[in-house]
Amino acid sequence: MRLLRSTDLALRVLMRLAVAGESSPTTRVVAADMDVPYTHAAKVVAELQHLGLVDARRGRGGGLSLTDKGRTASVGGVVRVFEGDGDVVDCEGSSPCPLNSACRLRGALRRAQEAFYASLDPLTVTDMVAAPTGPLLLEIGRAS
């Protein structure tokens, strides 16, 4: 299964903020640290803020910080939100699959997708920044 770029970035932003400590990096700084366009990072941060996982403050002394909900957020839950509820394959699209009424593949793929999410459900953002990841994320932040 391949994740959308926005899903990948959302997870990386959450992980980066989990190790930020007392500092509150701006969206621009996080985008530079992650080597992604600012506009893409801003869109992802806005969605994370809407979900209550990130607090964003404007102006002098502003920046991004992870909320308590963000620290304990299930990685599987975050992935589900950013990936959406769609099936792995589109059997109903502009040219519907002729096997649609008797296909066993669609159900198998749906179960595989749910197993993927379920394997991520017990993991939290805090779990994802345990060593060696957290220290590396701190180095990335200092390099910029």
Side-chain angles (χ1 to χ4, degrees), residues 25-73:
T26 64
T27 302
R28 200 166 296 285
V29 167
V30 170
D33 288 350
M34 298 296 147
D35 196 26
V36 297
Y38 167 77
T39 53
H40 193 62
K43 188 174 182 179
V44 167
V45 165
E47 180 63 19
L48 291 171
Q49 185 179 15
H50 175 74
L51 295 170
L53 305 178
V54 168
D55 183 35
R57 292 173 313 283
R58 293 178 180 245
R60 188 174 180 97
L64 305 174
S65 61
L66 201 56
T67 65
D68 289 338
K69 182 179 177 182
R71 289 189 187 290
T72 60

